[in-house]
């Protein structure tokens, strides 16, 4: 290792001290309080949770809004966690050198995956019948007045090999397989990284590159299918052939924003001395570029459906744009996830300074939560949805919990891969 790199502390570990924990716990308590207030208001009939109101043809109950919020945050923060592992794997598969000092930051987000798996699977068993219209047996009974030929035609995708309308074995199996392999790859990456720190050499880097390639192939399939399962199947009649890409792009921008915020946070605390404005610039370019990519997919999906004007396709946007509850959030979504990031990060200097990136990345993390809110709530709650105390509180609770888990995991190992063969290249990185 060259003398310049050796001048840095390559054995540094993140100190997850009481002050940082106290700040996160404060946000967690505020979120819990807001969530409790939101639940109480919903139980009392406050906001949109009106007694006797209907959503999707069935009587609406206050707890359905709670269920929808749990599902939104489960899916959203699962996406941020898996994107951390995905971006980590990309660095090795692409043989990237610039990112060597921050790869452990990316990987740390995967610590949320085992908890996400438990929450997703448990919440599906508890809440699935209320969230997913296709989990109603009468839809598959040709003798029933509620029989739905379209949903019946899609039934095997959820229920095979069981009888339609009984238990969604195929759906649950996919969820378990996806999470099982995601956690497996994350654990494998952590083990190889720990061995590299202890033993050195280049063999672990080559091993990581191979496993990263395997993971990326699996992720390419599982990320799209999970988007169909967990989000698109809520609006069971509707489908979009680019929906998997669209959900991935929303996950990816949110994940990139979280990674960037954490790198800037660590730099501010005196860690990651090797990381300079050139590395930050690269992260800023990723955030800027993929915000435009998300907008491209959003507009492509919207324009094709709008132009074709086929009723079974256009209903997805009509029920959102024409709604008093959701209509305004369509434009909030575009403003937060494209207009403001595009204008703020357009210049080179903006992408190299933490103050601009902290503003934009925070905006994007909230903005893409709004994106998932628009994907989930209209199909699960109808006009009984909205953003209130319950939604804000749940977002803060999940965000704080993820922060505790990610930072706790980051503190357990070396912050910098000290034996990474491209660390010297990263030190000289300049753009």
């Amino acid at each position: 290792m060259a003398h310049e790199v050796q001048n840095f502390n390559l054995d540094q570990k993140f100190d997850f001290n009481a002050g940082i924990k106290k700040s996160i716990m404060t946000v967690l308590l505020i979120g819990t309080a807001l969530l409790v207030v939101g639940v109480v208001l919903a139980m009392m009939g406050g906001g949109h949770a009106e007694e006797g109101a209907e959503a999707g043809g069935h009587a609406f109950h206050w707890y359905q809004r709670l269920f929808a919020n749990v599902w939104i945050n489960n899916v959203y923060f699962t996406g941020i966690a898996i994107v951390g592992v995905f971006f980590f794997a990309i660095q090795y598969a692409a043989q990237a050198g610039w990112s060597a000092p921050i790869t452990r930051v990316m990987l740390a987000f995967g610590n949320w995956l085992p908890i996400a798996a438990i929450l997703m699977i448990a919440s599906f068993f508890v809440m699935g019948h209320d969230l997913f219209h296709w989990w109603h047996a009468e839809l598959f009974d040709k003798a029933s007045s509620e029989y739905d030929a379209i949903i019946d035609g899609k039934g095997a995708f959820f229920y095979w090999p069981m009888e339609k309308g009984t238990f969604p074995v195929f759906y649950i199996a996919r969820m378990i397989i996806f999470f099982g392999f995601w956690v497996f790859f994350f654990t494998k990456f952590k083990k190889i990284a720990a061995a590299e720190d202890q033993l050195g050499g280049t063999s672990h880097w080559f091993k990581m590159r191979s496993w990263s390639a395997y993971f990326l192939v699996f992720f390419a399939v599982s990320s799209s299918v999970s988007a169909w399962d967990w989000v698109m199947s809520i609006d069971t009649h509707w489908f979009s052939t680019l929906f998997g890409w669209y959900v991935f792009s929303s996950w990816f921008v949110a994940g990139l924003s979280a990674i960037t915020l954490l790198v800037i946070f660590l730099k501010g605390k005196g860690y990651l001395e090797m990381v300079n404005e050139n590395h930050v610039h690269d992260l800023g370019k990723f955030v800027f570029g993929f915000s435009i990519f998300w907008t491209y997919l959003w507009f492509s999906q919207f324009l094709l459906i709008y132009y074709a004007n086929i009723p079974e396709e256009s209903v997805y946007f009509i029920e959102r744009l024409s709604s008093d509850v959701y209509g305004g959030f369509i434009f909030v979504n575009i403003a937060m996830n494209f207009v403001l990031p595009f204008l703020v990060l357009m210049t080179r200097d903006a992408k190299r300074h933490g103050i601009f990136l902290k503003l934009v990345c925070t905006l994007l993390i909230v903005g893409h939560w709004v994106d998932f809110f628009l994907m989930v709530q209209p199909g699960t709650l109808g006009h009984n949805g909205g953003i209130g105390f319950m939604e804000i509180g749940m977002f803060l609770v999940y965000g704080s919990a993820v922060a505790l888990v990610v930072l706790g995991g980051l503190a357990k190992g070396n912050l910098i891969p000290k034996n990474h063969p491209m660390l010297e290249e990263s030190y000289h990185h300049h753009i």
Side-chain angles (χ1 to χ4, degrees):
M1 191 72 66
H3 177 68
E4 293 93 335
V5 176
Q6 289 177 346
N7 286 336
F8 294 111
N9 178 14
L10 301 182
D11 289 305
Q12 64 182 225
K13 293 191 176 184
F14 171 62
D15 178 19
F16 193 18
N17 58 51
I20 299 173
K21 291 178 182 177
K22 183 178 178 181
S23 298
I24 297 173
M25 289 302 298
T26 300
V27 177
L28 179 62
L29 290 173
I30 293 171
T32 303
L34 291 174
L35 178 58
V36 170
V37 170
V39 169
V40 171
L41 288 175
M43 293 175 68
M44 296 172 60
H48 294 283
E50 299 170 1
E51 185 177 355
E54 296 195 353
H58 299 277
F60 174 74
H61 302 284
W62 69 267
Y63 55 79
Q64 289 173 296
R65 185 163 175 173
L66 179 65
F67 290 174
N69 278 295
V70 169
W71 196 255
I72 291 168
N73 287 280
N74 275 346
V75 175
Y76 182 59
F77 286 102
T78 295
I80 290 177
I82 194 59
V83 160
V85 182
F86 166 75
F87 200 47
F88 172 89
I90 283 286
Q91 309 310 311
Y92 282 89
Q95 304 181 55
W98 72 272
S99 56
I102 59 174
T103 52
R104 299 290 168 83
V105 176
M106 304 169 193
L107 188 61
F109 283 88
N111 285 289
W112 180 251
L113 286 174
I115 298 173
I118 295 169
L119 290 174
M120 282 287 289
I121 295 169
S123 59
F124 178 75
F125 278 107
V126 174
M127 310 168 188
H129 192 269
D130 291 287
L131 293 172
F132 297 95
H133 184 53
W134 51 261
W135 201 354
H136 292 259
E138 61 272 15
L139 300 173
F140 304 94
D141 183 2
K142 294 183 178 180
S144 171
S145 60
E146 294 192 36
Y147 173 74
D148 191 310
I150 294 176
I151 295 178
D152 187 25
K154 299 180 179 183
F157 186 69
F158 305 116
Y159 292 98
W160 181 87
M162 301 284 285
E163 184 180 348
K164 298 174 188 176
T166 53
F167 185 76
V169 173
F170 199 22
Y171 182 98
I172 287 290
R174 288 195 298 272
M175 185 182 290
I176 292 172
I177 290 169
F178 294 161
F179 273 110
F181 275 98
W182 289 349
V183 172
F184 165 76
F185 280 112
F186 166 66
T187 305
K188 188 71 176 178
F189 292 153
K190 281 207 307 182
K191 287 182 178 178
I192 297 173
E196 181 185 68
D197 285 344
Q198 293 173 2
L199 304 175
T202 59
S203 61
H204 298 97
W205 183 88
F206 283 104
K207 186 182 293 185
M208 191 81 84
R209 188 181 66 171
S210 297
W211 280 102
S212 294
Y214 303 146
F215 167 76
L216 291 173
V217 172
F218 181 77
F219 178 79
V221 177
S222 59
S223 60
S224 286
V225 178
S226 62
W228 306 340
D229 282 353
W230 304 343
V231 184
M232 193 169 73
S233 73
I234 290 171
D235 296 274
T236 319
H237 280 196
W238 181 82
F239 69 93
S240 167
T241 52
L242 63 73
F243 196 78
W245 277 103
Y246 178 74
V247 169
F248 162 75
S249 68
S250 194
W251 272 346
F252 194 41
V253 176
L256 286 171
S257 299
I259 291 167
T260 303
L261 279 179
L262 185 50
V263 168
I264 294 172
F265 168 78
L266 292 169
K267 281 288 292 178
K269 294 292 183 181
Y271 301 100
L272 303 177
E273 300 103 314
M274 284 184 64
V275 175
N276 56 44
E277 61 184 8
N278 298 290
H279 301 89
V280 173
H281 188 183
D282 271 341
L283 289 171
K285 287 191 292 185
F286 271 108
V287 171
F288 179 73
F290 279 94
S291 294
I292 296 172
F293 176 67
W294 171 86
T295 310
Y296 159 72
L297 291 177
W298 187 96
F299 187 71
S300 297
Q301 182 171 259
F302 175 80
L303 182 65
L304 290 173
I305 291 174
Y306 169 82
Y307 185 76
N309 199 25
I310 300 172
E312 56 266 33
E313 293 181 352
S314 59
V315 64
Y316 182 86
F317 286 102
I318 289 173
E319 70 179 6
R320 286 160 174 78
L321 283 167
S322 62
S323 168
D324 293 335
V325 179
Y326 308 107
F329 288 110
I330 292 282
F331 301 100
V332 170
N333 192 26
I334 297 297
M336 293 183 74
N337 295 321
F338 170 63
V339 178
L340 293 175
F342 180 76
L343 294 176
V344 175
L345 292 182
M346 187 181 295
T347 66
R348 180 177 187 269
D349 284 347
K351 293 189 282 287
R352 296 172 73 86
H353 290 87
I355 185 67
F356 293 106
L357 285 170
K358 282 190 276 189
L359 171 65
V360 170
C361 291
T362 302
L363 191 72
L364 284 169
I365 289 172
V366 176
H368 281 282
W369 180 90
V370 172
D371 191 27
F372 276 87
F373 158 81
L374 286 169
M375 292 186 222
V376 174
Q377 273 211 13
T380 54
L381 302 181
H383 66 274
N384 298 293
I387 293 182
F389 289 118
M390 191 186 297
E391 285 71 24
I392 297 171
M394 188 74 77
F395 173 72
L396 293 178
V397 167
Y398 265 82
S400 301
V402 171
L404 287 170
V405 171
V406 170
L407 293 179
L410 190 64
K412 292 178 180 177
N414 281 359
L415 195 55
I416 295 176
K418 61 182 181 180
N419 291 317
H420 194 295
M422 295 189 182
L423 212 55
E424 173 72 12
E425 178 184 335
S426 181
Y427 172 75
H428 295 288
H429 179 58
H430 178 77
I431 52 174

